[in-house]
Amino acid sequence: MSEDKLLPLRQQIDAIDAEILALLNRRAKIAQEVGHVKAETNAPVFRPEREAQVLLKVAERNPGPLQGADVQTIFREVMSACRALEKRVTVAYLGPAGTFSEQAVYQQFGHAVEGLPCVSIDEVFRATEAGTADFGVAPIENSSEGVINRTLDLLLQTTLNISGEVSIPVHHSLMTKEGTMTGIARICAHSQALAQCNAWLNQHYPSIERQAVASNAEAARMASENEAVAAIAGEMAAQKYDLQVVSANIQDDPHNRTRFAVVGRLQNGASGKDQTSLVLSVANKAGAVYKLLAPLAKHGVSMTRFESRPARMGAWEYYFYVDVEGHAADDKVAKALDELQQNAAFYKLLGSYPRSF
Ligand SMILES: C=C(O[C@@H]1C=C(C(=O)O)C=C[C@H]1O)C(=O)O
């Protein structure tokens, strides 16, 4: 019988689990000590650059057969639980619970956090600025639909820094209470999700009315209460609202992703694999943008993103949202930014933070 063969293997697993448990608690006790040292100096509990280094190291050292990304997921949760012994950080995000924003919170902080769902992106920034939340998580860009303008505008005004970025795959499913589309009169979702599934909906359900609502989670909640409503949302929402998936992965782009910015009052140290975000503007003259960015090339700093946004009220035509490789304190980045600032009519450093993995 296979049970006879399984028993000794399971005994080995039990013994190893006892060792893992002891080691985890040894680690946790040291994290508690770190917490006491930090409390004496009022130092920040969450240190993204240190957590990024731990995650990079475990992936590098990982002998297998476990996958590097899976080991990182485990260690992210270990750090989250250890950090919660120092203090449970509160993180504001665009709610309600069950949205991709909540998933982004867990991806950055692990599950041992206090999530604070907010009704708008403005509220995420406000709660974080006011100190109600230690950090905020706001969507910044979707690979199919482009930038989230409100987040870019708020980054321009805020006193907060970007202290991290999270990129998550966004897979949408069509879901209903009964798991069938019979009797469905409306398909509800956030306007972004409707846009991301537009071609699929045109092909499969061209004649069913579509309605944009505040969030995908709100659509799921509506579907759970109304048998004539179908929702488009992530699998997390199907579980939360007890809905059945009619079709999974209905987004037009199979590689659809959303990038989120983590904002807070913290100014990160360097992790060794960082990125720096800034906002710039120049007078509207021929060659001005070329001249503005010249110091990056001069000092060998790679630009990884360049986004322009009309300056609706300012004295300048456009704001440029620029990401460069490296930390603002790195020698060549510091020199490049210093020269760049001299050429710019407007210059704002948004923050340096570990690149997302
Ligand atoms: C233990 C620390 O505090 C937190 C927890 C960490 C961990 O469990 O490894 C790492 C960084 C911090 O976010 C620390 O700063 O070293």
Side-chain angles (χ1 to χ4, degrees), residues 144-308:
S144 317
E145 287 303 297
V147 295
I148 318 293
N149 291 327
R150 192 64 197 145
T151 303
L152 294 190
D153 288 348
L154 288 163
L155 283 172
L156 191 65
Q157 298 159 16
T158 188
T159 52
L160 302 171
N161 300 306
I162 300 183
S163 68
E165 75 163 355
V166 189
S167 168
I168 59 167
V170 174
H171 296 160
H172 293 301
S173 296
L174 183 67
M175 52 191 76
T176 63
K177 208 167 168 183
E178 300 299 332
T180 139
M181 290 299 280
T182 314
I184 296 295
R186 271 182 301 151
I187 298 174
C188 297
H190 187 268
S191 58
Q192 281 266 344
L194 288 173
Q196 289 164 26
C197 304
N198 190 42
W200 190 92
L201 289 170
N202 287 347
Q203 194 187 341
H204 292 89
Y205 298 104
S207 52
I208 301 186
E209 185 195 329
R210 294 171 212 172
Q211 186 188 349
V213 296
S215 68
N216 294 344
E218 170 62 11
R221 192 197 58 73
M222 289 164 70
S224 71
E225 287 178 359
N226 185 340
E227 286 178 12
V229 169
I232 295 175
E235 302 264 347
M236 234 166 84
Q239 282 170 23
K240 188 167 162 59
Y241 292 97
D242 205 13
L243 298 171
Q244 318 281 331
V245 171
V246 181
S247 299
N249 279 328
I250 64 165
Q251 70 284 350
D252 298 332
D253 173 6
H255 307 295
N256 192 31
R257 294 184 83 82
T258 296
R259 209 160 55 83
F260 295 82
V262 180
V263 292
R265 286 169 299 278
L266 182 68
Q267 287 199 359
N268 297 346
S271 75
K273 216 168 167 218
D274 300 287
Q275 171 170 307
T276 296
S277 295
L278 26 139
V279 193
L280 305 164
S281 191
V282 277
N284 188 18
K285 279 193 278 194
V289 176
Y290 177 78
K291 202 172 146 222
L292 172 73
L293 300 174
L296 296 177
K298 182 179 157 195
H299 293 282
V301 175
S302 301
M303 184 167 70
T304 52
R305 193 167 286 115
F306 182 86
E307 198 79 54
S308 63

Side-chain angles (χ1 to χ4, degrees), residues 27 31 34 38 45-47 50-51 79 82-83 86:
R27 189 188 196 284
V34 169
K38 287 178 180 173
V45 167
F46 177 56
R47 295 286 299 271
R50 167 70 183 155
E51 296 200 5
M79 288 193 289
C82 287
R83 194 198 318 120
E86 298 178 39

Side-chain angles (χ1 to χ4, degrees), residues 31-67:
Q32 271 179 323
E33 278 181 46
V34 169
H36 295 142
V37 173
K38 287 178 180 173
E40 282 166 13
T41 51
N42 217 357
V45 167
F46 177 56
R47 295 286 299 271
E49 77 281 27
R50 167 70 183 155
E51 296 200 5
Q53 283 165 349
V54 172
L55 294 178
L56 283 171
K57 210 179 299 165
V58 295
E60 264 169 35
R61 286 182 179 166
N62 177 36
L66 287 175
Q67 302 259 320

